[in-house]
Amino acid sequence: MSWLTQAAKGIKALTSQKKDIPDNLWRKCPKCSEILYHRELDRNLWVCGSCGHHLPFTTEQYIGLLFDEGTWAETHRGITSKDALDFKDSKRYKDRIKASRQKTGKEDAVITGRAQIGRIPVSASIMDFSFMGGSMGSVVGEKIARALLDSLRHREAAIILSRSGGARMQESLLSLMQMAKTSAVLARLRKEGIPFISILTNPTTGGVTASYATLGDINVAEPGALIGFAGPRVIKQTIGGDLPEGFQSSEFLLEHGMVDIITERRNLKENIERTLHWFVDNRDISVLRPPRG
Amino acid sequence: MDWKKKGLWLDFEMPIVELEERIQTLQDSASVRGMDVNEEVERLRAKASKMGKDIFAKLEPWQRVQLARHPRRPTTNDYIHFIFDDFVELHGDRMFRDDEAIVAGMASLGDRKLMVIGHQKGRDTKSNIRRNFGMAHPEGYRKALRLMDMAVRFDRPIVTFIDTPGAYPGVGAEERGQAEAIARNLREMSDMPVPIICIVTGEGGSGGALALGVGDRIFMLENSIYSVISPEGCAAILWRDGAKSKEAAKNMKLTAKDAQKLGVLDLIIGEPIGGAHRDHEAMSREIKRVIQETLAELEVIPINELLDQRLQKFLDIGVFEESGKS
């Protein structure tokens, strides 16, 4: 293990310790402005008790929520961004990466692993919005592609939980190509009869929506999430007018046929488990239904 | 095309255009007076050609952006006209409507029959409105997919021409699943069992470009660009100042040479001196040659091998560091 990863681990421990003693015991719901007590929020899986708004959940919280206890094993660690374009806006891309790694204790905007959901084995990728807006560059594309290849190799269902502003601008064309890369592996899963469940959470936009996030055999969304291709601001500018009420929300996508299921966070695991059961062998849920012939 | 309309030329091309005008004037007046000016014309031509080479040798990324969007630049329909025979345009996605920002149809090239698909920009306001400036809606990508599927069923190779600012960001586009339409094309094109050649001819703008851009070979014309977002969009987001487009263009590494360095491109197709818009026919001849050579190369590869190579090609794209083991 390099000293960098060690350092990153150390930082991770620090931040998680810090979370146990929040500076701020109270949070304001961004939707209904209700003041929420943090213990109450924890109990409620960070869903506002007053209006049902789903506040951001951390990657660790999702791992705890989705997978059977003790089954999560992280894969593909140690893949980190390289500034291939030597990109600099108001800050250097290199520095933005460094700052994000320090802030989040993560290597990049996705964590991959293998785990079980109701004893059904899965290969999963959990995106993280707190790392540069969950943007997809070479690292995210590579890790997700590898996690999908794991699904192919082990013949187990693939799960990706998305929350992302889209492709990472600082890697421009390389980021764009990650859309093709991940989608290309999904084509193989499809051919081999391996199910893919895409979970869309707030927000999922741009190149992530326009690649794997909408390609699930089943697309599942948390309520009230912003999901779309172009950002609402861009569309507003383009059309020069106001957007319809509820535009690009999970509910809007369900109505327009883009997602299968909207589920509250507290039912997320149960709903995914239920759909997974449909794909596995009746006598042995640890294996997928074998292909015909 | 009206070559005299100065508004349609870029600033940095003006010296060449003016020199060419002088050559024309000289020839015109010489022919009226019956003078022999061949020697002088030759001399000026050589000068114009050298000037063109010099100017184009040191273009800034932003100037490439301007060339890629040049109002005189050949469009997909121009290429189709010069490269293929028997083109039959086909319309519609069979679900919603025909999107004229994408043209597609059957064509032949020598003995080969193939499917040709490309973004279509207009040349003036009227045709640009009809073509939506080459920005497709979901039905455009779905039309493309429908016809690519047909190409697969009848074992015909596919050639795509990419030239779009991006997928259209509008209410209807979102309602009808712009993201899903693009995503589906990426997935399907990555595994279609016929040779696919993708050529970025002008603007390779974001997901809207990539939706026609997954294939066995990716080519870019010398003065085309390919990026995740327009320089203007990038500047607006990262610099919070749309006027920083030039700086964004420089940072984004969006030229053909950059794309080649990043390992995305298979080949840069050279343009006539002064750019593709100076000679549509010569540009088309060169593309035609490349398509024919490439198809000959791809056709002999067994299909499963071709598909494995295609997947591997995309798996290999990406630059990162890897330490230790997972």
Side-chain angles (χ1 to χ4, degrees):
Chain A
M1 188 190 294
S2 77
W3 68 270
L4 253 173
T5 9
Q6 273 175 337
K9 270 200 167 165
I11 291 156
K12 189 165 141 193
L14 276 177
T15 40
S16 59
Q17 269 167 25
K18 223 161 94 189
K19 277 206 187 84
D20 294 339
I21 342 158
D23 320 326
N24 201 342
L25 295 174
W26 301 90
R27 279 288 284 263
K28 195 164 144 185
C29 172
K31 189 148 179 235
C32 71
S33 301
E34 180 81 10
I35 306 293
L36 306 161
Y37 184 50
H38 81 104
R39 288 205 191 287
E40 188 61 30
L41 265 177
D42 272 339
R43 249 197 310 277
N44 249 340
L45 306 174
W46 287 72
V47 173
C48 172
S50 171
C51 72
H53 179 70
H54 283 52
L55 281 79
F57 221 32
T58 67
T59 296
E60 290 70 23
Q61 282 172 321
Y62 271 121
I63 290 171
L65 178 77
L66 283 172
F67 307 115
D68 299 351
E69 215 183 320
T71 62
W72 171 261
E74 192 181 340
T75 54
H76 312 300
R77 280 191 66 91
I79 302 175
T80 50
S81 267
K82 208 167 152 180
D83 181 12
L85 270 55
D86 194 19
F87 196 100
K88 183 174 177 262
D89 48 90
S90 59
K91 272 191 202 160
R92 290 199 156 278
Y93 175 42
K94 279 193 188 91
D95 295 335
R96 283 190 194 274
I97 288 281
K98 215 182 281 170
S100 269
R101 293 180 67 168
Q102 270 163 13
K103 187 186 89 179
T104 62
K106 303 278 190 320
E107 290 182 333
D108 210 298
V110 73
I111 282 182
T112 58
R114 297 181 62 206
Q116 293 177 11
I117 296 178
R119 295 191 293 114
I120 298 171
V122 297
S123 168
S125 309
I126 314 284
M127 297 193 77
D128 196 328
F129 195 78
S130 65
F131 194 106
M132 290 192 73
S135 55
M136 169 166 62
S138 296
V139 174
V140 170
E142 178 70 17
K143 288 182 77 165
I144 288 183
R146 288 194 196 186
L148 292 173
L149 288 169
D150 287 342
S151 283
L152 207 56
R153 192 173 310 124
H154 301 292
R155 284 200 62 80
E156 60 195 19
I159 293 186
I160 303 176
L161 185 140
S162 296
R163 39 200 176 144
S164 169
R168 187 172 293 170
M169 276 178 283
Q170 290 89 345
E171 293 187 34
S172 194
L173 186 56
L174 291 176
S175 302
L176 184 71
M177 290 295 154
Q178 303 309 309
M179 296 165 61
K181 178 175 177 167
T182 50
S183 304
V185 188
L186 283 172
R188 294 302 173 109
L189 261 68
R190 201 175 163 83
K191 208 151 75 173
E192 298 296 326
I194 310 225
F196 165 44
I197 298 176
S198 171
I199 308 172
L200 298 97
T201 72
N202 188 45
T204 301
T205 58
V208 167
T209 320
S211 57
Y212 49 83
T214 47
L215 289 178
D217 289 299
I218 300 175
N219 295 333
V220 180
E222 284 192 345
L226 172 73
I227 303 166
F229 174 63
R233 222 173 353 134
V234 175
I235 299 174
K236 229 169 141 172
Q237 261 171 24
T238 312
I239 64 169
D242 284 332
L243 300 173
E245 176 97 9
F247 183 63
Q248 295 185 316
S249 65
S250 307
E251 295 72 18
F252 174 91
L253 267 88
L254 183 80
E255 191 187 324
H256 287 92
M258 299 300 151
V259 301
D260 295 281
I261 300 166
I262 294 178
T263 172
E264 283 178 40
R265 200 171 277 160
R266 64 188 162 89
N267 300 324
L268 186 59
K269 181 178 180 180
E270 188 194 320
N271 273 320
I272 288 178
E273 190 178 328
R274 197 178 296 163
T275 57
L276 280 173
H277 269 282
W278 191 85
F279 296 102
V280 296
D281 193 276
N282 283 350
R283 289 149 300 180
D284 180 4
I285 63 166
S286 71
V287 296
L288 291 173
R289 189 163 188 268
R292 235 178 134 147
Chain B
M1 224 187 307
D2 184 5
W3 293 91
K4 295 264 164 64
K5 250 192 188 167
K6 292 205 172 157
L8 291 185
W9 294 106
L10 302 169
D11 290 346
F12 61 86
E13 312 179 87
M14 282 317 287
I16 316 169
V17 175
E18 278 161 11
L19 191 57
E20 279 175 349
E21 263 175 13
R22 262 173 61 198
I23 298 172
Q24 194 60 50
T25 317
L26 182 67
Q27 279 178 315
D28 290 350
S29 60
S31 74
V32 171
R33 295 179 207 166
M35 279 158 46
D36 180 12
V37 288
N38 284 345
E39 216 169 290
E40 179 67 2
V41 166
E42 276 313 304
R43 198 183 61 78
L44 288 174
R45 283 233 171 96
K47 195 178 163 190
S49 150
K50 186 178 179 307
M51 194 187 266
K53 271 186 200 153
D54 289 348
I55 292 174
F56 276 71
K58 44 183 187 223
L59 286 180
E60 292 288 319
W62 178 250
Q63 291 173 313
R64 299 267 183 210
V65 175
Q66 290 177 296
L67 280 172
R69 296 171 178 168
H70 202 295
R72 293 177 190 267
R73 199 166 172 84
T75 67
T76 296
N77 269 332
D78 297 316
Y79 292 126
I80 289 174
H81 169 74
F82 284 117
I83 297 173
F84 304 101
D85 300 314
D86 306 321
F87 179 67
V88 181
E89 189 177 353
L90 301 169
H91 293 273
D93 66 344
R94 299 290 190 272
M95 288 191 259
F96 186 68
R97 64 162 197 156
D98 184 43
D99 187 341
E100 293 194 272
I102 287 182
V103 293
M106 311 155 135
S108 54
L109 180 60
D111 290 339
R112 293 188 179 88
K113 288 171 180 153
L114 28 83
M115 184 62 72
V116 182
I117 300 171
H119 303 97
Q120 182 62 43
K121 289 183 177 174
R123 273 223 187 280
D124 47 31
T125 311
K126 199 176 156 213
S127 57
N128 259 319
I129 288 169
R130 173 176 165 209
R131 303 295 184 179
N132 200 30
F133 297 85
M135 292 185 283
H137 283 73
E139 46 274 21
Y141 303 117
R142 287 175 183 141
K143 165 168 76 177
L145 183 62
R146 172 177 81 86
L147 295 172
M148 288 191 280
D149 273 335
M150 186 170 92
V152 168
R153 280 184 290 119
F154 296 94
D155 195 23
R156 302 300 187 195
I158 298 164
V159 175
T160 69
F161 293 97
I162 295 166
D163 185 17
T164 179
Y168 185 69
V171 174
E174 296 285 325
E175 284 174 340
R176 298 194 291 280
Q178 187 71 294
E180 192 271 348
I182 295 170
R184 182 187 292 243
N185 278 19
L186 306 184
R187 185 186 66 201
E188 298 301 312
M189 289 181 84
S190 74
D191 204 37
M192 284 185 171
V194 293
I196 304 177
I197 300 174
C198 309
I199 308 170
V200 183
T201 56
E203 266 184 288
S206 188
L210 189 62
L212 299 184
V214 180
D216 301 297
R217 296 286 185 274
I218 305 173
F219 302 143
M220 281 176 76
L221 302 194
E222 192 181 342
N223 296 311
S224 66
I225 56 168
Y226 207 171
S227 60
V228 73
I229 186 172
S230 69
E232 289 86 348
C234 182
I237 295 171
L238 291 183
W239 279 262
R240 300 196 180 279
D241 180 0
K244 297 272 196 210
S245 312
K246 284 185 190 176
E247 208 175 326
K250 204 171 181 175
N251 270 280
M252 290 167 82
K253 307 287 191 295
L254 42 59
T255 68
K257 266 195 186 142
D258 293 323
Q260 196 166 42
K261 268 186 229 153
L262 292 171
V264 173
L265 265 207
D266 293 290
L267 176 77
I268 298 174
I269 303 177
E271 296 189 14
I273 294 169
H277 58 288
R278 304 304 300 264
D279 194 338
H280 291 194
E281 214 175 330
M283 185 71 256
S284 303
R285 261 199 313 275
E286 179 61 6
I287 296 176
K288 181 175 179 172
R289 187 185 65 78
V290 171
I291 293 175
Q292 279 172 320
E293 272 181 27
T294 310
L295 283 178
E297 220 175 273
L298 296 174
E299 277 161 357
V300 295
I301 304 173
I303 205 66
N304 283 333
E305 212 171 294
L306 189 74
L307 292 180
D308 284 348
Q309 285 177 13
R310 196 185 298 164
L311 173 65
Q312 195 57 47
K313 171 187 184 61
F314 285 92
L315 286 178
D316 286 343
I317 299 177
V319 180
F320 49 82
E321 285 182 83
E322 190 166 9
S323 71
K325 284 280 297 162
S326 65

